Amino acid sequence: MTQIENELEAAEKKRRLKKTVFAMLLGGVVGFLGSFGLMQLADSGALGSLDASREIAALVGMLYVVTAAAIGFGLMSPTAGAKFLNVEDPEELREQKGMLGNSALGMATAGVALMVLAIAAPAGPIGQGAALAVFAVLMLVAVITSIASMKKQDELMKAVGSEAGAMTYYLLLLVGGTWSLLAHLGFIAGPQPLDWLTMFWALMLLGAFIVTAKRGMLTMR
């Protein structure tokens, strides 16, 4: 390898490192501000009297919304989005606009759906009937947009999705199963219905993260 090639490789590594650090810092700041704002709102009583299960569900839902918002912003401004999303250049965002747009909309509606359940009556301000209706509509949108996104995915992305689904199943068995086992034996309190829904949402994200990490797809391009 020549000196020029070494210099080019070093410059590329430096660029990727800077992009990774920037994306992590940006994600951390946005996540912190979103969580802080949500907790302040919850503490004010505007969302009702939320226990730990409801607060955690709301935070997980917010994580979906924040992630979707980041993707949506990147699609609206590919030049800016390419600076913190894991793509090579703005053109890649433009090429994947259909797939990523549907995916972002699906994530956003799924996140809002979980947040609605978190602030539903009797502890929250949204009536049970209204919460059920809103949840059903939002999840229908999430399913439709997810299917639309899958139809635009290449074979690699479809394989990653299948592996992430399988990983999520095993994580649910491990986390939810262990929790239920210990509760059955009387060691701890058992999971509430909302806890199970929160686990579905949260472990889907974790499963996707594990699979993409195993495939080396977390490295910034």
Side-chain angles (χ1 to χ4, degrees), residues 142-179:
V143 170
I144 292 173
T145 52
S146 295
I147 293 174
S149 178
M150 288 175 60
K151 290 181 178 179
K152 297 178 181 294
Q153 292 177 357
D154 57 23
E155 293 303 316
L156 173 61
M157 293 306 298
K158 289 179 179 178
V160 170
S162 296
E163 291 178 23
M167 179 63 69
T168 301
Y169 172 74
Y170 293 128
L171 289 172
L172 279 170
L173 282 179
L174 175 63
V175 178
T178 301
W179 190 354

PDB file of all heavy atoms in Angstrom, residues 142-179:
ATOM      1  N   ALA A 142     -49.317   1.709  11.231  1.00  0.00           N
ATOM      2  CA  ALA A 142     -47.970   1.171  11.416  1.00  0.00           C
ATOM      3  C   ALA A 142     -47.775  -0.119  10.619  1.00  0.00           C
ATOM      4  O   ALA A 142     -46.728  -0.320   9.986  1.00  0.00           O
ATOM      5  CB  ALA A 142     -47.701   0.920  12.900  1.00  0.00           C
ATOM      6  N   VAL A 143     -48.769  -0.980  10.630  1.00  0.00           N
ATOM      7  CA  VAL A 143     -48.674  -2.244   9.892  1.00  0.00           C
ATOM      8  C   VAL A 143     -48.636  -1.990   8.392  1.00  0.00           C
ATOM      9  O   VAL A 143     -47.809  -2.558   7.657  1.00  0.00           O
ATOM     10  CB  VAL A 143     -49.856  -3.174  10.253  1.00  0.00           C
ATOM     11  CG1 VAL A 143     -49.900  -4.369   9.314  1.00  0.00           C
ATOM     12  CG2 VAL A 143     -49.739  -3.646  11.693  1.00  0.00           C
ATOM     13  N   ILE A 144     -49.535  -1.138   7.901  1.00  0.00           N
ATOM     14  CA  ILE A 144     -49.603  -0.852   6.465  1.00  0.00           C
ATOM     15  C   ILE A 144     -48.292  -0.240   5.964  1.00  0.00           C
ATOM     16  O   ILE A 144     -47.745  -0.644   4.928  1.00  0.00           O
ATOM     17  CB  ILE A 144     -50.781   0.092   6.159  1.00  0.00           C
ATOM     18  CG1 ILE A 144     -52.115  -0.636   6.400  1.00  0.00           C
ATOM     19  CG2 ILE A 144     -50.712   0.589   4.714  1.00  0.00           C
ATOM     20  CD1 ILE A 144     -53.322   0.266   6.284  1.00  0.00           C
ATOM     21  N   THR A 145     -47.773   0.738   6.698  1.00  0.00           N
ATOM     22  CA  THR A 145     -46.533   1.392   6.262  1.00  0.00           C
ATOM     23  C   THR A 145     -45.331   0.455   6.386  1.00  0.00           C
ATOM     24  O   THR A 145     -44.405   0.522   5.576  1.00  0.00           O
ATOM     25  CB  THR A 145     -46.276   2.670   7.077  1.00  0.00           C
ATOM     26  OG1 THR A 145     -46.348   2.370   8.483  1.00  0.00           O
ATOM     27  CG2 THR A 145     -47.316   3.730   6.752  1.00  0.00           C
ATOM     28  N   SER A 146     -45.343  -0.419   7.373  1.00  0.00           N
ATOM     29  CA  SER A 146     -44.249  -1.384   7.523  1.00  0.00           C
ATOM     30  C   SER A 146     -44.230  -2.364   6.353  1.00  0.00           C
ATOM     31  O   SER A 146     -43.161  -2.706   5.829  1.00  0.00           O
ATOM     32  CB  SER A 146     -44.389  -2.140   8.844  1.00  0.00           C
ATOM     33  OG  SER A 146     -44.244  -1.260   9.944  1.00  0.00           O
ATOM     34  N   ILE A 147     -45.414  -2.830   5.957  1.00  0.00           N
ATOM     35  CA  ILE A 147     -45.495  -3.735   4.807  1.00  0.00           C
ATOM     36  C   ILE A 147     -45.028  -3.021   3.539  1.00  0.00           C
ATOM     37  O   ILE A 147     -44.298  -3.586   2.713  1.00  0.00           O
ATOM     38  CB  ILE A 147     -46.933  -4.251   4.641  1.00  0.00           C
ATOM     39  CG1 ILE A 147     -47.302  -5.165   5.818  1.00  0.00           C
ATOM     40  CG2 ILE A 147     -47.097  -5.002   3.314  1.00  0.00           C
ATOM     41  CD1 ILE A 147     -48.743  -5.613   5.822  1.00  0.00           C
ATOM     42  N   ALA A 148     -45.457  -1.758   3.380  1.00  0.00           N
ATOM     43  CA  ALA A 148     -45.025  -0.979   2.214  1.00  0.00           C
ATOM     44  C   ALA A 148     -43.511  -0.808   2.196  1.00  0.00           C
ATOM     45  O   ALA A 148     -42.881  -0.867   1.134  1.00  0.00           O
ATOM     46  CB  ALA A 148     -45.712   0.384   2.227  1.00  0.00           C
ATOM     47  N   SER A 149     -42.923  -0.598   3.376  1.00  0.00           N
ATOM     48  CA  SER A 149     -41.468  -0.452   3.462  1.00  0.00           C
ATOM     49  C   SER A 149     -40.764  -1.756   3.105  1.00  0.00           C
ATOM     50  O   SER A 149     -39.757  -1.757   2.381  1.00  0.00           O
ATOM     51  CB  SER A 149     -41.076  -0.018   4.884  1.00  0.00           C
ATOM     52  OG  SER A 149     -39.672   0.079   5.014  1.00  0.00           O
ATOM     53  N   MET A 150     -41.307  -2.875   3.600  1.00  0.00           N
ATOM     54  CA  MET A 150     -40.694  -4.177   3.317  1.00  0.00           C
ATOM     55  C   MET A 150     -40.675  -4.486   1.824  1.00  0.00           C
ATOM     56  O   MET A 150     -39.743  -5.099   1.320  1.00  0.00           O
ATOM     57  CB  MET A 150     -41.446  -5.266   4.078  1.00  0.00           C
ATOM     58  CG  MET A 150     -41.215  -5.263   5.576  1.00  0.00           C
ATOM     59  SD  MET A 150     -42.251  -6.485   6.430  1.00  0.00           S
ATOM     60  CE  MET A 150     -41.702  -8.003   5.649  1.00  0.00           C
ATOM     61  N   LYS A 151     -41.708  -4.077   1.110  1.00  0.00           N
ATOM     62  CA  LYS A 151     -41.778  -4.343  -0.326  1.00  0.00           C
ATOM     63  C   LYS A 151     -40.687  -3.615  -1.092  1.00  0.00           C
ATOM     64  O   LYS A 151     -40.354  -4.007  -2.220  1.00  0.00           O
ATOM     65  CB  LYS A 151     -43.153  -3.932  -0.862  1.00  0.00           C
ATOM     66  CG  LYS A 151     -44.289  -4.832  -0.387  1.00  0.00           C
ATOM     67  CD  LYS A 151     -45.629  -4.387  -0.961  1.00  0.00           C
ATOM     68  CE  LYS A 151     -46.747  -5.319  -0.527  1.00  0.00           C
ATOM     69  NZ  LYS A 151     -48.078  -4.894  -1.064  1.00  0.00           N
ATOM     70  N   LYS A 152     -40.147  -2.564  -0.520  1.00  0.00           N
ATOM     71  CA  LYS A 152     -39.104  -1.784  -1.185  1.00  0.00           C
ATOM     72  C   LYS A 152     -37.700  -2.168  -0.722  1.00  0.00           C
ATOM     73  O   LYS A 152     -36.707  -1.610  -1.189  1.00  0.00           O
ATOM     74  CB  LYS A 152     -39.322  -0.286  -0.926  1.00  0.00           C
ATOM     75  CG  LYS A 152     -40.631   0.263  -1.504  1.00  0.00           C
ATOM     76  CD  LYS A 152     -40.806   1.738  -1.175  1.00  0.00           C
ATOM     77  CE  LYS A 152     -42.116   2.284  -1.727  1.00  0.00           C
ATOM     78  NZ  LYS A 152     -42.140   2.282  -3.198  1.00  0.00           N
ATOM     79  N   GLN A 153     -37.611  -3.118   0.217  1.00  0.00           N
ATOM     80  CA  GLN A 153     -36.310  -3.514   0.750  1.00  0.00           C
ATOM     81  C   GLN A 153     -35.606  -4.496  -0.179  1.00  0.00           C
ATOM     82  O   GLN A 153     -36.254  -5.291  -0.881  1.00  0.00           O
ATOM     83  CB  GLN A 153     -36.487  -4.155   2.129  1.00  0.00           C
ATOM     84  CG  GLN A 153     -36.944  -3.187   3.207  1.00  0.00           C
ATOM     85  CD  GLN A 153     -37.180  -3.875   4.531  1.00  0.00           C
ATOM     86  OE1 GLN A 153     -37.061  -5.095   4.655  1.00  0.00           O
ATOM     87  NE2 GLN A 153     -37.540  -3.100   5.544  1.00  0.00           N
ATOM     88  N   ASP A 154     -34.266  -4.461  -0.146  1.00  0.00           N
ATOM     89  CA  ASP A 154     -33.507  -5.463  -0.899  1.00  0.00           C
ATOM     90  C   ASP A 154     -33.388  -6.734  -0.061  1.00  0.00           C
ATOM     91  O   ASP A 154     -33.883  -6.806   1.061  1.00  0.00           O
ATOM     92  CB  ASP A 154     -32.127  -4.914  -1.281  1.00  0.00           C
ATOM     93  CG  ASP A 154     -31.314  -4.455  -0.058  1.00  0.00           C
ATOM     94  OD1 ASP A 154     -31.589  -4.929   1.070  1.00  0.00           O
ATOM     95  OD2 ASP A 154     -30.414  -3.609  -0.226  1.00  0.00           O
ATOM     96  N   GLU A 155     -32.735  -7.742  -0.621  1.00  0.00           N
ATOM     97  CA  GLU A 155     -32.649  -9.040   0.058  1.00  0.00           C
ATOM     98  C   GLU A 155     -31.905  -8.951   1.385  1.00  0.00           C
ATOM     99  O   GLU A 155     -32.237  -9.640   2.344  1.00  0.00           O
ATOM    100  CB  GLU A 155     -31.966 -10.059  -0.866  1.00  0.00           C
ATOM    101  CG  GLU A 155     -32.775 -10.423  -2.091  1.00  0.00           C
ATOM    102  CD  GLU A 155     -34.153 -10.983  -1.721  1.00  0.00           C
ATOM    103  OE1 GLU A 155     -34.234 -11.809  -0.812  1.00  0.00           O
ATOM    104  OE2 GLU A 155     -35.144 -10.581  -2.355  1.00  0.00           O
ATOM    105  N   LEU A 156     -30.875  -8.092   1.435  1.00  0.00           N
ATOM    106  CA  LEU A 156     -30.111  -7.948   2.677  1.00  0.00           C
ATOM    107  C   LEU A 156     -30.992  -7.407   3.787  1.00  0.00           C
ATOM    108  O   LEU A 156     -31.004  -7.937   4.903  1.00  0.00           O
ATOM    109  CB  LEU A 156     -28.914  -7.025   2.451  1.00  0.00           C
ATOM    110  CG  LEU A 156     -28.108  -6.654   3.707  1.00  0.00           C
ATOM    111  CD1 LEU A 156     -27.530  -7.907   4.352  1.00  0.00           C
ATOM    112  CD2 LEU A 156     -27.006  -5.657   3.366  1.00  0.00           C
ATOM    113  N   MET A 157     -31.748  -6.348   3.488  1.00  0.00           N
ATOM    114  CA  MET A 157     -32.601  -5.747   4.504  1.00  0.00           C
ATOM    115  C   MET A 157     -33.700  -6.700   4.946  1.00  0.00           C
ATOM    116  O   MET A 157     -34.079  -6.742   6.123  1.00  0.00           O
ATOM    117  CB  MET A 157     -33.199  -4.442   3.978  1.00  0.00           C
ATOM    118  CG  MET A 157     -32.185  -3.342   3.749  1.00  0.00           C
ATOM    119  SD  MET A 157     -31.181  -2.997   5.225  1.00  0.00           S
ATOM    120  CE  MET A 157     -32.437  -2.455   6.384  1.00  0.00           C
ATOM    121  N   LYS A 158     -34.236  -7.481   4.009  1.00  0.00           N
ATOM    122  CA  LYS A 158     -35.253  -8.470   4.377  1.00  0.00           C
ATOM    123  C   LYS A 158     -34.667  -9.542   5.295  1.00  0.00           C
ATOM    124  O   LYS A 158     -35.318  -9.987   6.242  1.00  0.00           O
ATOM    125  CB  LYS A 158     -35.847  -9.101   3.122  1.00  0.00           C
ATOM    126  CG  LYS A 158     -36.735  -8.156   2.320  1.00  0.00           C
ATOM    127  CD  LYS A 158     -37.271  -8.833   1.072  1.00  0.00           C
ATOM    128  CE  LYS A 158     -38.171  -7.884   0.286  1.00  0.00           C
ATOM    129  NZ  LYS A 158     -38.684  -8.492  -0.964  1.00  0.00           N
ATOM    130  N   ALA A 159     -33.432  -9.950   5.004  1.00  0.00           N
ATOM    131  CA  ALA A 159     -32.773 -10.940   5.855  1.00  0.00           C
ATOM    132  C   ALA A 159     -32.521 -10.381   7.251  1.00  0.00           C
ATOM    133  O   ALA A 159     -32.726 -11.076   8.260  1.00  0.00           O
ATOM    134  CB  ALA A 159     -31.456 -11.379   5.218  1.00  0.00           C
ATOM    135  N   VAL A 160     -32.095  -9.124   7.308  1.00  0.00           N
ATOM    136  CA  VAL A 160     -31.865  -8.482   8.604  1.00  0.00           C
ATOM    137  C   VAL A 160     -33.171  -8.395   9.389  1.00  0.00           C
ATOM    138  O   VAL A 160     -33.212  -8.648  10.595  1.00  0.00           O
ATOM    139  CB  VAL A 160     -31.260  -7.073   8.416  1.00  0.00           C
ATOM    140  CG1 VAL A 160     -31.247  -6.300   9.741  1.00  0.00           C
ATOM    141  CG2 VAL A 160     -29.846  -7.172   7.869  1.00  0.00           C
ATOM    142  N   GLY A 161     -34.257  -8.053   8.700  1.00  0.00           N
ATOM    143  CA  GLY A 161     -35.553  -7.977   9.360  1.00  0.00           C
ATOM    144  C   GLY A 161     -35.991  -9.314   9.926  1.00  0.00           C
ATOM    145  O   GLY A 161     -36.515  -9.387  11.048  1.00  0.00           O
ATOM    146  N   SER A 162     -35.777 -10.382   9.168  1.00  0.00           N
ATOM    147  CA  SER A 162     -36.150 -11.723   9.642  1.00  0.00           C
ATOM    148  C   SER A 162     -35.317 -12.121  10.850  1.00  0.00           C
ATOM    149  O   SER A 162     -35.837 -12.667  11.834  1.00  0.00           O
ATOM    150  CB  SER A 162     -35.959 -12.740   8.514  1.00  0.00           C
ATOM    151  OG  SER A 162     -36.829 -12.474   7.433  1.00  0.00           O
ATOM    152  N   GLU A 163     -34.026 -11.843  10.791  1.00  0.00           N
ATOM    153  CA  GLU A 163     -33.153 -12.170  11.918  1.00  0.00           C
ATOM    154  C   GLU A 163     -33.520 -11.349  13.150  1.00  0.00           C
ATOM    155  O   GLU A 163     -33.486 -11.850  14.283  1.00  0.00           O
ATOM    156  CB  GLU A 163     -31.698 -11.921  11.542  1.00  0.00           C
ATOM    157  CG  GLU A 163     -31.147 -12.888  10.522  1.00  0.00           C
ATOM    158  CD  GLU A 163     -29.713 -12.578  10.149  1.00  0.00           C
ATOM    159  OE1 GLU A 163     -29.018 -11.919  10.950  1.00  0.00           O
ATOM    160  OE2 GLU A 163     -29.271 -12.995   9.063  1.00  0.00           O
ATOM    161  N   ALA A 164     -33.873 -10.084  12.934  1.00  0.00           N
ATOM    162  CA  ALA A 164     -34.261  -9.230  14.058  1.00  0.00           C
ATOM    163  C   ALA A 164     -35.543  -9.726  14.697  1.00  0.00           C
ATOM    164  O   ALA A 164     -35.699  -9.693  15.924  1.00  0.00           O
ATOM    165  CB  ALA A 164     -34.440  -7.782  13.582  1.00  0.00           C
ATOM    166  N   GLY A 165     -36.479 -10.211  13.874  1.00  0.00           N
ATOM    167  CA  GLY A 165     -37.717 -10.774  14.423  1.00  0.00           C
ATOM    168  C   GLY A 165     -37.447 -11.999  15.274  1.00  0.00           C
ATOM    169  O   GLY A 165     -38.028 -12.153  16.360  1.00  0.00           O
ATOM    170  N   ALA A 166     -36.564 -12.873  14.783  1.00  0.00           N
ATOM    171  CA  ALA A 166     -36.213 -14.070  15.555  1.00  0.00           C
ATOM    172  C   ALA A 166     -35.494 -13.686  16.846  1.00  0.00           C
ATOM    173  O   ALA A 166     -35.761 -14.256  17.912  1.00  0.00           O
ATOM    174  CB  ALA A 166     -35.336 -14.988  14.708  1.00  0.00           C
ATOM    175  N   MET A 167     -34.580 -12.716  16.754  1.00  0.00           N
ATOM    176  CA  MET A 167     -33.861 -12.268  17.937  1.00  0.00           C
ATOM    177  C   MET A 167     -34.825 -11.683  18.967  1.00  0.00           C
ATOM    178  O   MET A 167     -34.686 -11.918  20.178  1.00  0.00           O
ATOM    179  CB  MET A 167     -32.807 -11.228  17.547  1.00  0.00           C
ATOM    180  CG  MET A 167     -32.001 -10.667  18.720  1.00  0.00           C
ATOM    181  SD  MET A 167     -31.005 -11.937  19.564  1.00  0.00           S
ATOM    182  CE  MET A 167     -29.782 -12.284  18.275  1.00  0.00           C
ATOM    183  N   THR A 168     -35.813 -10.922  18.504  1.00  0.00           N
ATOM    184  CA  THR A 168     -36.804 -10.343  19.406  1.00  0.00           C
ATOM    185  C   THR A 168     -37.564 -11.430  20.139  1.00  0.00           C
ATOM    186  O   THR A 168     -37.841 -11.319  21.342  1.00  0.00           O
ATOM    187  CB  THR A 168     -37.788  -9.460  18.617  1.00  0.00           C
ATOM    188  OG1 THR A 168     -37.064  -8.416  17.957  1.00  0.00           O
ATOM    189  CG2 THR A 168     -38.821  -8.828  19.547  1.00  0.00           C
ATOM    190  N   TYR A 169     -37.924 -12.484  19.435  1.00  0.00           N
ATOM    191  CA  TYR A 169     -38.647 -13.608  20.051  1.00  0.00           C
ATOM    192  C   TYR A 169     -37.820 -14.225  21.180  1.00  0.00           C
ATOM    193  O   TYR A 169     -38.330 -14.465  22.285  1.00  0.00           O
ATOM    194  CB  TYR A 169     -38.963 -14.654  18.988  1.00  0.00           C
ATOM    195  CG  TYR A 169     -39.542 -15.933  19.544  1.00  0.00           C
ATOM    196  CD1 TYR A 169     -40.864 -15.977  19.995  1.00  0.00           C
ATOM    197  CD2 TYR A 169     -38.770 -17.089  19.611  1.00  0.00           C
ATOM    198  CE1 TYR A 169     -41.391 -17.154  20.517  1.00  0.00           C
ATOM    199  CE2 TYR A 169     -39.287 -18.269  20.117  1.00  0.00           C
ATOM    200  CZ  TYR A 169     -40.598 -18.297  20.568  1.00  0.00           C
ATOM    201  OH  TYR A 169     -41.116 -19.456  21.083  1.00  0.00           O
ATOM    202  N   TYR A 170     -36.535 -14.458  20.922  1.00  0.00           N
ATOM    203  CA  TYR A 170     -35.683 -15.061  21.958  1.00  0.00           C
ATOM    204  C   TYR A 170     -35.494 -14.105  23.141  1.00  0.00           C
ATOM    205  O   TYR A 170     -35.454 -14.546  24.306  1.00  0.00           O
ATOM    206  CB  TYR A 170     -34.326 -15.436  21.361  1.00  0.00           C
ATOM    207  CG  TYR A 170     -34.404 -16.547  20.347  1.00  0.00           C
ATOM    208  CD1 TYR A 170     -33.837 -16.409  19.087  1.00  0.00           C
ATOM    209  CD2 TYR A 170     -35.064 -17.743  20.642  1.00  0.00           C
ATOM    210  CE1 TYR A 170     -33.922 -17.427  18.145  1.00  0.00           C
ATOM    211  CE2 TYR A 170     -35.149 -18.768  19.708  1.00  0.00           C
ATOM    212  CZ  TYR A 170     -34.582 -18.597  18.460  1.00  0.00           C
ATOM    213  OH  TYR A 170     -34.672 -19.611  17.536  1.00  0.00           O
ATOM    214  N   LEU A 171     -35.385 -12.820  22.858  1.00  0.00           N
ATOM    215  CA  LEU A 171     -35.249 -11.852  23.949  1.00  0.00           C
ATOM    216  C   LEU A 171     -36.511 -11.800  24.800  1.00  0.00           C
ATOM    217  O   LEU A 171     -36.439 -11.674  26.029  1.00  0.00           O
ATOM    218  CB  LEU A 171     -34.947 -10.459  23.366  1.00  0.00           C
ATOM    219  CG  LEU A 171     -33.560 -10.271  22.759  1.00  0.00           C
ATOM    220  CD1 LEU A 171     -33.469  -8.923  22.050  1.00  0.00           C
ATOM    221  CD2 LEU A 171     -32.471 -10.367  23.836  1.00  0.00           C
ATOM    222  N   LEU A 172     -37.673 -11.904  24.149  1.00  0.00           N
ATOM    223  CA  LEU A 172     -38.937 -11.927  24.903  1.00  0.00           C
ATOM    224  C   LEU A 172     -39.007 -13.153  25.800  1.00  0.00           C
ATOM    225  O   LEU A 172     -39.460 -13.074  26.948  1.00  0.00           O
ATOM    226  CB  LEU A 172     -40.119 -11.909  23.943  1.00  0.00           C
ATOM    227  CG  LEU A 172     -40.513 -10.550  23.376  1.00  0.00           C
ATOM    228  CD1 LEU A 172     -41.530 -10.723  22.257  1.00  0.00           C
ATOM    229  CD2 LEU A 172     -41.092  -9.662  24.477  1.00  0.00           C
ATOM    230  N   LEU A 173     -38.574 -14.284  25.281  1.00  0.00           N
ATOM    231  CA  LEU A 173     -38.546 -15.491  26.104  1.00  0.00           C
ATOM    232  C   LEU A 173     -37.608 -15.318  27.297  1.00  0.00           C
ATOM    233  O   LEU A 173     -37.939 -15.708  28.419  1.00  0.00           O
ATOM    234  CB  LEU A 173     -38.092 -16.691  25.268  1.00  0.00           C
ATOM    235  CG  LEU A 173     -39.114 -17.320  24.327  1.00  0.00           C
ATOM    236  CD1 LEU A 173     -38.464 -18.482  23.569  1.00  0.00           C
ATOM    237  CD2 LEU A 173     -40.323 -17.827  25.105  1.00  0.00           C
ATOM    238  N   LEU A 174     -36.449 -14.718  27.030  1.00  0.00           N
ATOM    239  CA  LEU A 174     -35.461 -14.549  28.090  1.00  0.00           C
ATOM    240  C   LEU A 174     -35.933 -13.547  29.141  1.00  0.00           C
ATOM    241  O   LEU A 174     -35.970 -13.858  30.340  1.00  0.00           O
ATOM    242  CB  LEU A 174     -34.132 -14.083  27.490  1.00  0.00           C
ATOM    243  CG  LEU A 174     -33.015 -13.750  28.483  1.00  0.00           C
ATOM    244  CD1 LEU A 174     -32.622 -14.987  29.271  1.00  0.00           C
ATOM    245  CD2 LEU A 174     -31.810 -13.159  27.761  1.00  0.00           C
ATOM    246  N   VAL A 175     -36.311 -12.345  28.703  1.00  0.00           N
ATOM    247  CA  VAL A 175     -36.675 -11.283  29.640  1.00  0.00           C
ATOM    248  C   VAL A 175     -38.054 -11.514  30.242  1.00  0.00           C
ATOM    249  O   VAL A 175     -38.218 -11.585  31.455  1.00  0.00           O
ATOM    250  CB  VAL A 175     -36.621  -9.903  28.945  1.00  0.00           C
ATOM    251  CG1 VAL A 175     -37.039  -8.809  29.923  1.00  0.00           C
ATOM    252  CG2 VAL A 175     -35.220  -9.635  28.410  1.00  0.00           C
ATOM    253  N   GLY A 176     -39.054 -11.622  29.375  1.00  0.00           N
ATOM    254  CA  GLY A 176     -40.409 -11.815  29.863  1.00  0.00           C
ATOM    255  C   GLY A 176     -40.597 -13.151  30.550  1.00  0.00           C
ATOM    256  O   GLY A 176     -41.287 -13.249  31.577  1.00  0.00           O
ATOM    257  N   GLY A 177     -39.970 -14.182  29.975  1.00  0.00           N
ATOM    258  CA  GLY A 177     -40.097 -15.509  30.577  1.00  0.00           C
ATOM    259  C   GLY A 177     -39.457 -15.582  31.956  1.00  0.00           C
ATOM    260  O   GLY A 177     -40.034 -16.143  32.899  1.00  0.00           O
ATOM    261  N   THR A 178     -38.274 -15.007  32.082  1.00  0.00           N
ATOM    262  CA  THR A 178     -37.593 -15.020  33.388  1.00  0.00           C
ATOM    263  C   THR A 178     -38.377 -14.217  34.415  1.00  0.00           C
ATOM    264  O   THR A 178     -38.534 -14.638  35.575  1.00  0.00           O
ATOM    265  CB  THR A 178     -36.175 -14.434  33.252  1.00  0.00           C
ATOM    266  OG1 THR A 178     -35.437 -15.203  32.298  1.00  0.00           O
ATOM    267  CG2 THR A 178     -35.450 -14.461  34.592  1.00  0.00           C
ATOM    268  N   TRP A 179     -38.878 -13.059  34.003  1.00  0.00           N
ATOM    269  CA  TRP A 179     -39.683 -12.218  34.902  1.00  0.00           C
ATOM    270  C   TRP A 179     -40.924 -12.969  35.368  1.00  0.00           C
ATOM    271  O   TRP A 179     -41.239 -13.004  36.570  1.00  0.00           O
ATOM    272  CB  TRP A 179     -40.082 -10.946  34.159  1.00  0.00           C
ATOM    273  CG  TRP A 179     -40.704  -9.876  35.020  1.00  0.00           C
ATOM    274  CD1 TRP A 179     -41.051  -9.966  36.345  1.00  0.00           C
ATOM    275  CD2 TRP A 179     -41.044  -8.547  34.626  1.00  0.00           C
ATOM    276  NE1 TRP A 179     -41.595  -8.793  36.791  1.00  0.00           N
ATOM    277  CE2 TRP A 179     -41.595  -7.897  35.751  1.00  0.00           C
ATOM    278  CE3 TRP A 179     -40.926  -7.850  33.424  1.00  0.00           C
ATOM    279  CZ2 TRP A 179     -42.057  -6.581  35.698  1.00  0.00           C
ATOM    280  CZ3 TRP A 179     -41.374  -6.538  33.376  1.00  0.00           C
ATOM    281  CH2 TRP A 179     -41.932  -5.910  34.509  1.00  0.00           C
TER     282      TRP A 179
END
